Amino acid sequence: ASSPSPSKLADAPHRAQQTLAHPHIFADAAMAAVATVSSAGGILAMLHEPAEELKLHALASLNSVVHLFYPEISTSIPTIESLYEDEEFDQRQLAALVVSKVFYYLGELNDALLYALGAGPLFDVSEDSDYAHALLAKALDEYASFKTRASKATEEEENVDPRLEAIVERMLEKYDKILPFVHILLFIRWSIQLTVTLCCRCVLDGKYQQAMGMAVECRRLDKLEEAIVRCDNIHGALSYCINLSHQYVSHREYRCEVLRCLVKIYQTLPHPDFLSICQCLMFLGEPETVANILDTLISGSKDDALLAYQIAFDLVENENQAFLLNVRNRLDSQTPGQSNPDSGSALPVDQTVNAGTTSTEPAGDVQMGDDTTTANGNAHPVDPNEAAHADKLAKLKGILSGEKSIQLTLQFLYSHNRSDLLILKTIKQAVEMRNSVCHSATICSNAIMHAGTTVDTFLRENLEWLSRATNWAKFSATAGLGVIHRGHLQQGRALMAPYLPQSGAVGGGSPYSEGGALYALGLIHANHGEGIKQFLRESLRNTSAEVIQHGACLGLGLASLGTADEEVFEDIKNVLYTDSAVAGEAAGIGMGLLMVGTASEKAAEMLAYAHDTQHEKIIRGLALGIALTVYGREEEADTLIEQMTRDQDPILRYGGMYALALAYRGTANNKAIHQLLHFAVSDVSDDVRRTAVMGLGFVLYNEPEQTPRIVSLLSESYNPHVRYGAALAVGISCAGTGLSDAISLLEPLTSDVVDFVRQGALIAMAMVMIQTNESFDSRVGTFRRQLEKIILDKHEDTMSKMGAILASGILDAGGRNVTIKLLSRNKHDKLTAVIGLAVFTQFWYWYPLLYFISLAFSPTAIIGLNSNLEVPKFEFLSHAKPSLFEYPKPTTQQTTTSAVKLPTAILSTYAKAKSRAKKDAESKAANQEKTAEAESKANQEKSTAESKPSQEKSTDAESKAKTTEDASGSTSGEAAKTQEKDGDAMQVDGAAEKKAPEPEPAFQILANPARVVPAQEKFIKFIEGSRYVPVRPAPCGFILLRDTQPSEAEELVLTDAPATVATGAGNNAAAAAAGQGSAAMAVDDEPQPPQPFEYSA
Amino acid sequence: MDPKLVEVTQLIDRFKAAFKASNFDVCSTLLSQLKVLLTKFPSLPPVFQQTPNAVEELKLAREIYEQAVILSVKMEDQDAFERDFCQLKPYYMDTCGIIPPSSEEYPIMGANLLRLLVQNRIAEFHTELELLPAKALDNAYIKHGVELEQSFMEGAYNRVLSARQTAPHETYIYFMDLLVKTVRDEIAGCSEKGYDYLSINDAKQMFKFSSDKELQQYIAEVN
């Protein structure tokens, strides 16, 4: 009893200070008569008073001063606790509150929470104090973890403290009072989300979001439902929840539960948002319901049909081939049931017709939808309603098959192609002929630059140069054609015909080009290979050359991506069991591609073979293949990942890293990140470490801002492999974002001491900067110049030179109209894109795999469609400076052109732009013609001034205008219109160039279809009162437009694209008669397939 | 005048009357009533709300607690003394400038020091001492306690025992009596260690007992 409490000692100086101001010492001091308490001793003494009222009074006083005197009070906690435990005492809860606060100040949050629960209603959840905030956060944490634990072990009874539940429920009820707490909680739990919430708050009431977030976190779906239903903006709330469930619910099954709950709410609404429902259903994998919804919609009004189309387009964007196939099949089986009384007979007929087309027609053009339509149409030619329905159904299936979007994309990429041939020319001249690495890199760069545009001018102009590619380089070069013609579904076969293995003729071409052609076919039909599958299988079976097998395996894998087709699997497996290194590697990857995301037991089979074989190449191919099979399966994949990461063989551990990365792709799952980081620093094999770091990029691509922070330390590692991995991780996860942090991290790596690190950094940088122009981030310009310097430098290492060449390709990929996007607009992962990048990173071992990057490209376009799925004339607004998002300026021929002369060029353009602007006001087609003339004159002037910044471009445009005229031919109205469109495009250029003399306009009008880069999307506005109203106002991708004046004639654009006239009948003949035939049947403006190479080998 | 104030004043008067009549039971019931009444005054610590009656209220409250302390001595209730003193202390320490110092302050502080000494809580004794201004050490009441503690520490127990006669305040007598007991306990503790045996006479002298009987009684108590 003799030792004083430490708290009293601690408090002593404080009191001593008070004493200084004691009136006994400074009696005369004219002090303000403000008294403060210096000790809680008096109040504590009062606790011992026998009278209840005094105890009460003491407790109340303590409650008000606890924040000042908790050290003193802490010694009396037993006294207060005994008050709380005293059943007779009528203010037990107050005592509990005081104890809770003291514990809180002592940092004992668990005890504090315990007593706060004891305080019952006295614990005020709406109080705005640190204490309340901290305890609430703690309470929620506890509750959420209770719930999570309870859900994990369901047999374990839920023994959640009912009091805790009561608190959380009170919180959820009071969500309108706890706004300040919103911030705190979000900070603790979802710090990133804070910004999102703040952004959304203007749109949606933040408090409800808060409630929803907590409900989701605490696994209280009932409360979630309540919050959503009570919210005044139900649609906003629901879409917020969907977002929430994708971003913050890490457990896959629980996420499904949340989504199911959301779908349930959606369906009870009077006007359900079918777009969102279908998205949810797709995630849940319920094609049946989606098919039902679509079917109901197309049976409805015209607007409903539009909506159905829009849904279909959105579903296609997510690239889930197996799901789409299911939906299509369900639609097939439903339609006869509804429209046809004798469904039993109609159904098999349809199917046989289908089967017949795919198997008998070697051309294999994907026309499944059309066939079915004709079958239906023939059966009931009389009923107009039914015919309309069948028509709509056919369109819908056309969309779902992906054909429509691929076709439109192809048209867009072709018509808007802005690739800069000069860059390629520079590269070609700089690269030494004998250096085959750089040579094939250049070919690859060309392929990437023109991916999906069908423009192969460069190849045709340099046939002789091209023919230097021998052996595997030839394989790659041929495969490159597939990238260029990607999505050219109708004529892909015909285009590749000259290189394909000829079944009849013996020894037609080299096996390398034949194999490459099969691979190219796969790239063309990637993820939409229904039609080509059969042909590829036959080619695979008919050959024993391992190079051709290699190409065929890759091609088959690509074409039947994720379909898990048993027969195809068997075919590829047979190749695998021949145990040939070259073919086996491709077979491994091909099997993986085929089984993407199925998590089938085939993986075990593959793993067993990987242990059996001696060939490293095969093991590597299988390792990647196994990783692909667990794509997106999250927790389900853990066993397999564990098995692989513990393997003795570093190559299988390497595969394990891929498995980890792909299983948890885009989830930012902490466990996965933790594991990857662990391997990145602890594994003995450089390959595994490199891949582990790279895997971070895949796991984090949904939160690109995080990646540079997480890998920043690794990017300074002593191990060049880790640095390389860090560069690619940033490149993958920040692809297409132009994120400043990412660029800052990559910049030093581009001048690393090790050549392959430079290579990786250059490629990654290009991926980050794709579609970012110099006015958006000045470092883009610096980077372009750096690339040029590296390419031109004679002494640069081959590795980094190759990186630079590829980087220039990626930077201007797809005619500058595509970006790398791993997430669809609805935050679903884009399977093809992720898979494409994953296999692409494998180029470290095998250059032909470089071409897989083309799978990751998605066009940055807004394409508006009317109810006939045609592209009407339609304009919208981009509310930002045009220069921010314009195409990069074409390079000039002579880089030495003096800068002094540039201003004159600008001035002339300015004058030109001004004069045109005046004329534009009149907006007459005739005037447009004149302008074009004036322009060409202006261009001539410019070229004489030796500065040709826009010459290339405008001549391009001009030639395009001409071809347009040719194409649309007879209808002069249309010709004028396309002219107008081109005029608009030039207007944009002109406006961008006149920055010096006049502030550039703050907005620009874009015409359908338009290039809209991702960063620009938030500036897009649809003009009010225009003829077409978008069904869904999201500013990207395919948008169905509702025509407000349906009686008037529609003006259509985008008729100048290739291959719209795909005639199914002619195709067969074309396929038979190889090169010439296909050229003949193509439209005038259709680029001709390059002549067969003269092989020197 | 505020009715609450009036009520309290009347009660105090009754309390004082009862106190004079040494009717302590009445006193303690009145006192607890008073204390409850005090909880209604907002100007008292720890709130110190500035009300027009603040000075009056504070003075009254201080007086009540002073009386309570004195009463506890009279009733020989050490717990009550500590309790009331603790509650009184804020009025001495924290009411700077609002009410003039009380005449009872030092006697009560001194009594408290004695109490700590009696309870052998030397550390707290010194803490209390540290909190007092330097000047206060010259005060007779305080000085008494300080000197006692010094003698006690030195082991000059005879001085401690003889100081009973020089107690400056009547309330101190009670504590001095208790102190004798404390001192004897100390001596007993020491002699237990120091001597193998002790004659009755030596012990009687050492423990300052006047008779053998008293000594026997003490020995019985200790054992």
Side-chain angles (χ1 to χ4, degrees):
Chain A
S2 63
S3 74
S5 66
S7 63
K8 278 196 177 159
L9 274 184
D11 212 22
H14 175 59
R15 268 187 276 171
Q17 232 172 356
Q18 289 276 332
T19 335
L20 278 182
H22 205 274
H24 293 255
I25 302 163
F26 302 107
D28 55 345
M31 269 190 269
V34 178
T36 47
V37 206
S38 59
S39 157
I43 314 169
L44 287 174
M46 204 185 270
L47 276 180
H48 296 279
E49 292 280 358
E52 294 269 299
E53 293 94 330
L54 289 178
K55 282 182 185 168
L56 269 186
H57 179 72
L59 275 180
S61 310
L62 277 181
N63 189 29
S64 63
V65 297
V66 70
H67 58 289
L68 293 173
F69 298 113
Y70 63 90
E72 263 184 286
I73 302 172
S74 65
T75 55
S76 301
I77 276 188
T79 321
I80 313 176
E81 276 175 345
S82 66
L83 280 178
Y84 165 62
E85 276 148 25
D86 180 2
E87 302 278 335
E88 317 259 292
F89 189 58
D90 63 347
Q91 282 289 358
R92 304 175 49 202
Q93 296 184 327
L94 184 60
L97 185 64
V98 173
V99 178
S100 163
K101 282 187 179 175
V102 175
F103 275 127
Y104 160 71
Y105 285 113
L106 294 178
E108 299 284 343
L109 282 186
N110 284 324
D111 289 326
L113 181 61
L114 202 68
Y115 279 97
L117 296 178
L122 284 184
F123 177 56
D124 184 4
V125 287
S126 52
E127 190 183 306
D128 182 21
S129 68
D130 290 348
Y131 163 73
H133 295 164
L135 275 200
L136 281 178
K138 177 80 187 163
L140 278 179
D141 266 356
E142 285 289 309
Y143 187 70
S145 73
F146 262 129
K147 278 290 200 178
T148 317
R149 253 182 286 153
S151 74
K152 269 186 189 145
T154 32
E155 70 275 11
E156 196 183 300
E157 62 208 305
E158 283 194 36
N159 45 2
V160 179
D161 194 335
R163 297 179 299 175
L164 192 59
E165 205 145 58
I167 276 216
V168 175
E169 271 175 30
R170 257 190 309 138
M171 289 221 29
L172 291 174
E173 276 157 28
K174 284 196 175 181
Y175 37 66
D176 40 348
K177 286 194 195 157
I178 46 177
L179 204 52
F181 169 66
V182 169
H183 303 277
I184 303 276
L185 188 78
L186 287 183
F187 237 136
I188 298 168
R189 311 207 47 78
W190 310 303
S191 50
I192 318 143
Q193 198 198 333
L194 183 63
T195 39
V196 179
T197 323
L198 291 176
C199 294
C200 295
R201 184 154 299 149
C202 34
V203 192
L204 205 127
D205 204 348
K207 306 165 229 164
Y208 285 101
Q209 295 187 350
Q210 162 64 15
M212 285 181 262
M214 284 192 298
V216 169
E217 181 83 0
C218 298
R219 298 181 177 245
R220 289 294 299 265
L221 294 183
D222 51 332
K223 288 284 161 190
L224 176 69
E225 209 175 320
E226 197 185 311
I228 294 175
V229 174
R230 279 167 61 177
C231 181
D232 18 281
N233 180 359
I234 292 188
H235 285 284
L238 282 169
S239 61
Y240 173 79
C241 271
I242 292 178
N243 236 334
L244 200 70
S245 64
H246 282 294
Q247 280 179 284
Y248 302 109
V249 180
S250 54
H251 199 261
R252 195 183 142 110
E253 271 166 38
Y254 177 55
R255 193 187 305 145
C256 287
E257 257 175 67
V258 174
L259 288 179
R260 239 171 254 136
C261 168
L262 293 179
V263 170
K264 201 177 80 197
I265 302 172
Y266 264 130
Q267 281 166 345
T268 57
L269 295 183
H271 305 290
D273 179 358
F274 288 116
L275 279 173
S276 311
I277 294 184
C278 289
Q279 291 294 335
C280 291
L281 288 171
M282 195 203 77
F283 184 83
L284 294 170
E286 293 179 11
E288 187 85 44
T289 332
V290 175
N292 279 339
I293 291 175
L294 289 178
D295 196 56
T296 331
L297 282 176
I298 53 169
S299 315
S301 70
K302 211 171 170 189
D303 286 349
D304 281 348
L306 278 181
L307 188 60
Y309 298 154
Q310 182 71 67
I311 291 173
F313 271 121
D314 286 2
L315 292 178
V316 168
E317 206 202 328
N318 295 321
E319 299 179 342
N320 192 337
Q321 195 184 2
F323 180 80
L324 294 173
L325 213 66
N326 265 331
V327 174
R328 250 184 311 159
N329 290 341
R330 294 267 150 73
L331 279 175
D332 273 343
S333 58
Q334 266 169 6
T335 329
Q338 289 193 351
S339 60
N340 202 341
D342 52 343
S343 58
S345 65
L347 180 58
V349 168
D350 279 3
Q351 279 176 345
T352 41
V353 168
N354 271 338
T357 12
T358 38
S359 58
T360 54
E361 219 177 49
D365 294 335
V366 191
Q367 289 180 337
M368 209 172 98
D370 293 352
D371 288 334
T372 331
T373 326
T374 44
N376 278 340
N378 290 340
H380 306 274
V382 267
D383 194 342
N385 265 346
E386 224 141 83
H389 182 263
D391 179 45
K392 283 179 192 165
L393 188 65
K395 278 185 193 144
L396 190 64
K397 278 193 283 194
I399 301 171
L400 283 175
S401 70
E403 284 169 65
K404 194 72 202 173
S405 58
I406 290 177
Q407 182 200 347
L408 287 167
T409 307
L410 194 67
Q411 289 176 358
F412 169 79
L413 288 179
Y414 172 67
S415 60
H416 284 66
N417 176 28
R418 291 296 191 92
S419 59
D420 193 346
L421 285 175
L422 215 57
I423 296 179
L424 280 170
K425 212 170 157 191
T426 323
I427 296 174
K428 192 192 121 208
Q429 279 163 354
V431 167
E432 208 182 335
M433 290 284 208
R434 273 160 300 169
N435 188 336
S436 70
V437 171
C438 291
H439 184 262
S440 38
T442 315
I443 297 174
C444 178
S445 183
N446 167 55
I448 293 171
M449 260 192 213
H450 293 100
T453 61
T454 74
V455 175
D456 48 11
T457 334
F458 179 76
L459 292 180
R460 271 184 288 151
E461 280 171 4
N462 299 291
L463 277 179
E464 198 196 332
W465 172 82
L466 192 61
S467 66
R468 280 171 201 278
T470 55
N471 297 335
W472 283 109
K474 188 188 273 177
F475 179 91
S476 301
T478 322
L481 283 176
V483 173
I484 295 179
H485 292 283
R486 183 175 178 222
H488 215 157
L489 297 189
Q490 274 85 4
Q491 288 168 47
R493 232 350 248 298
L495 282 163
M496 298 313 296
Y499 316 106
L500 287 171
Q502 311 286 323
S503 44
V506 186
S510 111
Y512 290 104
S513 67
E514 288 176 6
L518 292 173
Y519 177 26
L521 276 183
L523 288 167
I524 293 176
H525 290 86
N527 208 7
H528 298 282
E530 277 300 292
I532 203 74
K533 199 165 70 185
Q534 200 58 31
F535 172 75
L536 287 169
R537 277 181 62 194
E538 275 164 24
S539 310
L540 181 63
R541 272 192 240 132
N542 291 341
T543 185
S544 55
E546 53 177 14
V547 181
I548 300 180
Q549 284 177 337
H550 185 94
C553 284
L554 288 178
L556 256 182
L558 279 166
S560 42
L561 191 73
T563 51
D565 188 318
E566 281 295 329
E567 292 176 16
V568 178
F569 187 82
E570 283 306 313
D571 283 345
I572 303 183
K573 203 166 75 180
N574 288 337
V575 175
L576 179 71
Y577 286 155
T578 59
D579 206 39
S580 129
V582 172
E585 181 182 31
I589 297 174
M591 285 160 110
L593 290 171
L594 186 65
M595 308 304 278
V596 157
T598 54
S600 72
E601 65 279 12
K602 297 276 194 315
E605 209 176 310
M606 291 161 78
L607 194 59
Y609 191 76
H611 281 121
D612 283 347
T613 186
Q614 297 293 310
H615 295 288
E616 283 200 358
K617 273 171 101 65
I618 298 183
I619 303 176
R620 193 173 295 125
L622 281 170
L624 184 62
I626 297 167
L628 292 175
T629 61
V630 294
Y631 171 87
R633 305 305 287 209
E634 299 182 27
E635 293 88 356
E636 263 175 82
D638 281 352
T639 342
L640 187 72
I641 293 172
E642 184 75 9
Q643 216 175 340
M644 291 180 84
T645 51
R646 287 183 178 229
D647 204 284
Q648 293 264 304
D649 188 345
I651 303 179
L652 282 180
R653 289 207 301 278
Y654 158 90
M657 294 304 107
Y658 270 114
L660 195 52
L662 290 176
Y664 290 96
R665 85 280 168 269
T667 55
N669 183 301
N670 269 337
K671 201 185 84 199
I673 295 174
H674 198 262
Q675 250 178 311
L676 284 173
L677 283 174
H678 173 76
F679 281 105
V681 294
S682 66
D683 203 279
V684 286
S685 158
D686 280 338
D687 293 339
V688 178
R689 295 178 69 169
R690 186 183 64 235
T691 321
V693 184
M694 208 144 61
L696 287 173
F698 286 105
V699 176
L700 283 165
Y701 68 70
N702 64 333
E703 288 172 15
E705 305 82 15
Q706 300 277 351
T707 322
R709 198 174 51 80
I710 289 180
V711 301
S712 68
L713 268 182
L714 293 169
S715 76
E716 290 161 17
S717 163
Y718 74 95
N719 185 329
H721 289 268
V722 172
R723 294 204 296 273
Y724 177 90
L728 276 195
V730 172
I732 290 164
S733 67
C734 306
T737 57
L739 210 66
S740 177
D741 283 353
I743 297 176
S744 314
L745 186 133
L746 289 172
E747 243 174 1
L749 288 175
T750 58
S751 44
D752 199 273
V753 286
V754 179
D755 52 358
F756 65 79
V757 178
R758 287 201 294 277
Q759 180 192 59
L762 290 171
I763 292 175
M765 187 78 114
M767 286 163 79
V768 174
M769 283 181 171
I770 188 170
Q771 282 211 331
T772 316
N773 70 11
E774 207 171 339
S775 45
F776 200 80
D777 192 329
S778 62
R779 286 177 291 187
V780 178
T782 328
F783 181 61
R784 278 181 186 276
R785 283 188 287 281
Q786 186 188 4
L787 287 180
E788 196 177 12
K789 204 180 126 252
I790 293 175
I791 292 168
L792 293 174
D793 188 352
K794 288 260 185 292
H795 305 291
E796 188 63 61
D797 286 302
T798 308
M799 290 301 275
S800 53
K801 212 172 222 180
M802 172 194 164
I805 295 171
L806 288 175
S808 347
I810 295 169
L811 211 50
D812 291 330
R816 294 181 168 165
N817 284 313
V818 299
T819 186
I820 300 177
K821 241 167 122 182
L822 299 181
L823 279 179
S824 75
R825 197 179 40 249
N826 304 299
K827 305 286 177 211
H828 289 279
D829 48 306
K830 298 182 74 157
L831 180 136
T832 323
V834 179
I835 294 299
L837 271 191
V839 185
F840 163 75
T841 55
Q842 187 85 349
F843 79 87
W844 176 273
Y845 299 102
W846 195 233
Y847 287 151
L849 296 179
L850 277 171
Y851 293 98
F852 267 84
I853 199 177
S854 67
L855 302 191
F857 293 146
S858 54
T860 50
I862 292 188
I863 301 177
L865 298 170
N866 64 11
S867 57
N868 289 325
L869 303 186
E870 293 154 335
V871 185
K873 195 171 176 327
F874 166 64
E875 283 181 338
F876 49 90
L877 204 70
S878 161
H879 208 79
K881 288 181 184 172
S883 74
L884 274 181
F885 304 111
E886 67 179 340
Y887 290 103
K889 291 185 191 65
T891 45
T892 54
Q893 194 129 34
Q894 282 151 313
T895 41
T896 47
T897 311
S898 61
V900 201
K901 287 187 175 158
L902 234 85
T904 56
I906 285 170
L907 282 173
S908 78
T909 332
Y910 166 54
K912 172 195 72 184
K914 206 167 152 194
S915 71
R916 195 185 44 241
K918 219 180 281 167
K919 284 173 191 165
D920 258 7
E922 295 157 50
S923 75
K924 290 270 162 69
N927 274 356
Q928 290 287 345
E929 297 268 343
K930 262 185 232 161
T931 329
E933 276 170 32
E935 228 153 87
S936 63
K937 256 181 231 160
N939 280 326
Q940 274 161 16
E941 279 166 35
K942 244 193 300 174
S943 60
T944 51
E946 264 197 22
S947 130
K948 317 178 176 176
S950 64
Q951 189 206 17
E952 290 269 346
K953 199 195 306 168
S954 51
T955 43
D956 255 5
E958 217 93 307
S959 66
K960 205 192 298 165
K962 261 177 215 143
T963 52
T964 313
E965 235 159 333
D966 292 346
S968 47
S970 54
T971 48
S972 60
E974 263 185 28
K977 180 176 14 97
T978 35
Q979 193 80 21
E980 231 171 63
K981 185 177 68 75
D982 276 358
D984 270 349
M986 283 179 225
Q987 155 91 58
V988 173
D989 297 336
E993 270 169 280
K994 62 176 178 181
K995 52 191 158 200
E998 208 174 79
E1000 64 171 321
F1003 64 92
Q1004 86 195 106
I1005 303 281
L1006 297 172
N1008 184 29
R1011 172 193 193 252
V1012 173
V1013 301
Q1016 195 177 359
E1017 278 166 16
K1018 52 178 177 284
F1019 299 109
I1020 296 296
K1021 298 227 165 53
F1022 293 103
I1023 303 166
E1024 300 239 337
S1026 63
R1027 177 172 167 185
Y1028 295 100
V1029 181
V1031 170
R1032 177 207 54 181
C1036 55
F1038 295 98
I1039 300 171
L1040 266 296
L1041 301 170
R1042 196 156 48 80
D1043 192 351
T1044 52
Q1045 300 151 338
S1047 51
E1048 284 172 43
E1050 291 187 288
E1051 292 181 69
L1052 301 178
V1053 289
L1054 206 73
T1055 48
D1056 56 337
T1060 40
V1061 216
T1063 47
N1067 240 359
N1068 292 347
Q1076 266 69 14
S1078 70
M1081 56 134 316
V1083 212
D1084 288 354
D1085 57 317
E1086 162 73 4
Q1088 314 229 327
Q1091 301 305 309
F1093 306 155
E1094 292 300 320
Y1095 301 118
S1096 51
Chain B
M1 206 169 173
D2 192 21
K4 270 190 279 180
L5 271 180
V6 178
E7 196 184 346
V8 172
T9 328
Q10 284 168 355
L11 269 179
I12 290 183
D13 290 341
R14 279 173 61 196
F15 173 86
K16 279 181 181 158
F19 188 77
K20 261 187 196 140
S22 296
N23 192 349
F24 296 144
D25 287 342
V26 178
C27 279
S28 56
T29 35
L30 283 174
L31 190 63
S32 49
Q33 283 175 25
L34 276 168
K35 281 182 180 169
V36 172
L37 280 176
L38 282 184
T39 61
K40 310 264 186 332
F41 289 174
S43 62
L44 301 190
V47 186
F48 284 127
Q49 198 180 320
Q50 298 211 18
T51 55
N53 295 328
V55 177
E56 284 301 312
E57 286 173 6
L58 281 172
K59 271 187 184 163
L60 274 176
R62 187 175 63 186
E63 193 184 343
I64 289 167
Y65 281 114
E66 279 169 353
Q67 293 297 332
V69 169
I70 294 167
L71 178 69
S72 69
V73 176
K74 288 276 188 240
M75 292 177 74
E76 307 194 346
D77 182 348
Q78 287 189 45
D79 285 343
F81 181 92
E82 184 176 0
R83 214 159 55 217
D84 292 324
F85 177 77
C86 280
Q87 291 178 64
L88 173 62
K89 218 166 129 190
Y91 295 90
Y92 292 150
M93 306 295 257
D94 305 335
T95 56
C96 44
I98 301 179
I99 47 175
S102 151
S103 59
E104 290 294 315
E105 179 169 352
Y106 283 115
I108 289 180
M109 291 293 243
N112 185 47
L113 287 177
L114 276 184
R115 173 185 68 90
L116 290 172
L117 211 52
V118 165
Q119 292 171 344
N120 213 357
R121 285 153 74 175
I122 304 300
E124 281 168 74
F125 175 93
H126 283 283
T127 313
E128 286 293 319
L129 216 54
E130 286 301 318
L131 288 175
L132 290 174
K135 245 178 166 178
L137 292 181
D138 298 336
N139 186 290
Y141 297 104
I142 305 295
K143 214 170 165 183
H144 180 72
V146 171
E147 278 169 1
L148 266 181
E149 193 263 352
Q150 278 165 357
S151 321
F152 192 55
M153 290 297 111
E154 281 166 23
Y157 295 131
N158 56 340
R159 255 191 278 155
V160 177
L161 295 181
S162 57
R164 188 178 186 272
Q165 281 70 44
T166 58
H169 196 270
E170 46 163 343
T171 53
Y172 287 31
I173 303 294
Y174 164 65
F175 288 112
M176 292 311 295
D177 288 341
L178 290 172
L179 194 57
V180 171
K181 168 87 170 47
T182 312
V183 167
R184 280 186 183 135
D185 286 348
E186 282 290 307
I187 298 170
C190 293
S191 43
E192 202 174 49
K193 297 263 160 30
Y195 304 101
D196 290 336
Y197 60 90
L198 206 58
S199 70
I200 299 272
N201 274 339
D202 290 342
K204 204 165 67 179
Q205 203 187 347
M206 205 179 277
F207 284 89
K208 297 260 170 176
F209 280 120
S210 44
S211 67
D212 288 1
K213 202 182 153 204
E214 276 175 324
L215 181 65
Q216 293 296 345
Q217 219 173 3
Y218 178 74
I219 290 169
E221 256 172 52
V222 170
N223 294 329

